[in-house]
């Protein structure tokens, strides 16, 4: 695939550039330019990013940063089984636990929320930094909602990070996920309060909390162009404006809409005491068996429509991720 002339490859992170030093100079440059294109396109054109990631993977599959980039590109393209295989490969190469939440979310994407909850109770979670633990909590709450345990999802999101007045990079998405779960449970007044708090902390517009809040307040969005066209066709300019906007799909935050809530005793998916470590399938965490399992995942698992940046919230039925987290 063509790469713009202004892409030199020097734009990549210095740590990634360090990893590529193991390659011949010309090859390292070509791989780095493809990785730059992955980063450029992954939000706006996931399929394009995926195509560039496959080129980089073909050229340097033994570089962990390349496997990780390929995983995120596949994840953004909803190819969850493939993404999980790449994340496992990267983790096997580096021993890094940072990818644990997004790996768990891939399990959700393949329709295995129980597996995601097992991962939420694994010892690896305690090795994550604060951002990673919050991302894991979002994934666990999403898995609860996948299983119809709506009240349990709400309790899972109740945490010191949610109650904190300090605004962190994850604050808006956590508050949004909590508000969305409350609204799904019919607790509209509380949901409005938390959507408002999400708006306060969402400085970069990573969620559509302001739109959701406006909808709860009964604000209608009008397409001015449609109104102008009606006026030109002789429509009564004093007529009520026609709202043409429906609720936007929520960004993926690890939640999916369900109708009913299951029993919520002992629901905190992050607490190790709530999930016995023996319930975790060690075969999926055994490095020696990962490749075989990846093949089985590809053959047996159907990829789910709808997205999840690990950890922005999206709802399967009515339209953050993440990890991303």
């Amino acid at each position: 695939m063509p790469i713009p002339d202004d892409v030199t490859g020097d734009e990549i992170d210095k740590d990634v550039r360090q990893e590529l030093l193991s390659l011949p100079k010309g090859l390292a440059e070509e791989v780095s330019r493809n990785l730059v294109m992955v980063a450029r396109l992954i939000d706006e054109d996931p399929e394009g990013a995926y195509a560039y990631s496959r080129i980089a993977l073909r050229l340097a599959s033994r570089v962990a940063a390349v496997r990780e980039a390929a995983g995120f590109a596949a994840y953004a393209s909803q190819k969850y089984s493939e993404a999980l295989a790449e994340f496992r490969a990267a983790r096997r190469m580096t021993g890094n636990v940072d990818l644990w939440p997004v790996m768990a979310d891939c399990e959700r994407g393949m329709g295995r929320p129980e597996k995601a909850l097992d991962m939420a109770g694994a010892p690896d979670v305690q090795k994550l930094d604060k951002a990673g633990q919050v991302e894991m909590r979002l994934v666990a709450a999403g898995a609860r909602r996948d299983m119809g345990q709506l009240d349990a999802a709400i309790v899972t999101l109740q945490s010191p990070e949610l109650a904190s007045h300090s605004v962190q990079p994850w604050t808006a998405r956590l508050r949004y996920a909590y508000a969305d779960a409350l609204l799904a449970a019919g607790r509209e007044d509380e949901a409005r309060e938390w959507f408002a708090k999400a708006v306060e902390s969402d400085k970069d517009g990573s969620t559509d909390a302001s739109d959701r809040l406006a909808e709860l307040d009964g604000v209608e969005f009008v397409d001015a162009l449609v109104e102008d066209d009606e006026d030109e066709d002789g429509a009564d300019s004093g007529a009520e404006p026609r709202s043409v906007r429906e609720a936007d799909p929520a960004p993926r935050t690890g939640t999916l809409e369900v109708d009913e809530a299951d029993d919520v005793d002992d629901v905190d998916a992050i607490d190790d005491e709530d999930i016995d470590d023996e319930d975790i399938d060690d075969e999926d965490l055994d490095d020696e068996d990962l490749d075989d399992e990846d093949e089985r995942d590809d053959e047996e698992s159907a990829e789910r429509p709808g997205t999840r940046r690990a950890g922005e919230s999206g709802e399967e039925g009515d339209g953050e991720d993440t990890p991303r987290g």
Side-chain angles (χ1 to χ4, degrees):
M1 295 181 63
I3 297 177
D5 293 337
D6 66 322
V7 175
T8 65
D10 294 334
E11 301 90 340
I12 63 173
D13 183 83
K14 62 180 182 179
D15 292 334
V16 177
R17 190 181 303 116
Q18 186 69 28
E19 283 192 58
L20 295 177
L21 290 178
S22 61
L23 303 175
K25 183 177 180 180
L27 180 59
E29 180 180 336
E30 187 174 358
V31 171
S32 63
R33 294 182 73 210
N34 278 280
L35 292 181
V36 170
M37 294 305 298
V38 172
R40 280 191 178 186
L41 298 176
I42 195 165
D43 291 327
E44 301 298 328
D45 181 12
E47 289 296 335
Y50 175 77
Y52 281 106
S53 76
R54 300 308 296 178
I55 296 173
L57 190 61
R58 187 176 69 247
L59 296 172
S61 63
R62 295 185 180 277
V63 177
V66 172
R67 302 302 289 264
E68 183 173 329
F72 277 110
Y75 178 79
S77 301
Q78 304 174 31
K79 299 174 175 64
Y80 298 114
S81 179
E82 187 174 327
L84 182 58
E86 299 301 339
F87 290 142
R88 283 173 169 167
R91 182 172 180 268
R92 187 165 60 239
M93 292 174 178
T94 65
N96 197 320
V97 299
D98 292 350
L99 294 172
W100 195 253
V102 72
M103 290 169 62
D105 203 43
C106 286
E107 295 287 0
R108 286 188 60 216
M110 293 188 291
R112 302 193 301 216
E114 298 88 352
K115 192 67 172 294
L117 283 179
D118 284 347
M119 294 180 69
D124 296 77
V125 174
Q126 303 307 316
K127 302 175 185 177
L128 295 168
D129 61 13
K130 181 61 66 175
Q133 291 183 10
V134 170
E135 195 69 32
M136 191 72 250
R137 188 175 291 276
L138 288 168
V139 174
R144 291 291 188 188
R145 293 186 68 172
D146 293 347
M147 298 167 66
Q149 300 173 5
L150 185 53
D151 288 343
I154 292 172
V155 174
T156 298
L157 292 168
Q158 294 170 347
S159 62
E161 294 81 15
L162 179 68
S164 174
H165 295 293
S166 174
V167 175
Q168 302 294 335
W170 62 78
T171 301
R173 293 177 57 245
L174 183 59
R175 291 175 176 178
Y176 184 101
Y178 189 59
D180 191 48
L182 289 169
L183 187 61
R187 296 160 61 175
E188 186 171 313
D189 290 341
E190 294 172 86
R192 191 202 175 284
E193 175 187 351
W194 282 97
F195 276 127
K197 290 182 178 181
V199 170
E200 292 175 1
S201 57
D202 192 3
K203 305 303 182 185
D204 58 359
S206 61
T207 74
D208 66 345
S210 60
D211 291 347
R212 300 290 298 277
L213 182 61
E215 288 166 3
L216 287 175
D217 288 341
V219 175
E220 291 187 340
F221 294 84
V222 177
D223 189 331
L225 293 178
V226 172
E227 192 172 76
D228 289 344
D229 289 343
E230 290 178 349
D231 288 343
E232 291 175 2
D233 292 338
D236 182 3
S237 59
E240 288 294 322
R242 181 164 65 95
S243 174
V244 297
R245 181 189 181 281
E246 296 182 356
D248 291 334
R252 181 83 177 258
T253 56
T255 62
L256 290 174
E257 181 80 20
V258 292
D259 294 325
E260 299 292 336
D262 288 350
D263 203 288
V264 296
D265 293 335
D266 299 324
V267 295
D268 193 342
I270 308 301
D271 192 339
D272 289 341
E273 294 180 2
D274 291 314
I275 302 178
D276 193 335
D277 289 345
E278 294 180 358
D279 292 337
I280 301 171
D281 189 349
D282 289 336
E283 291 183 9
D284 289 313
L285 305 182
D286 189 335
D287 290 345
E288 296 179 358
D289 295 331
L290 291 178
D291 293 335
D292 290 341
E293 187 192 20
D294 293 341
E295 292 181 10
R296 291 195 298 272
D297 284 342
D298 289 340
E299 295 173 358
E300 299 174 4
S301 301
E303 295 171 359
R304 181 184 61 184
T307 184
R308 155 119 324 121
R309 266 192 77 157
E312 290 112 47
S313 170
E315 314 228 289
E316 182 90 50
D318 52 5
E320 336 199 43
D321 192 23
T322 57
R324 130 14 241 0

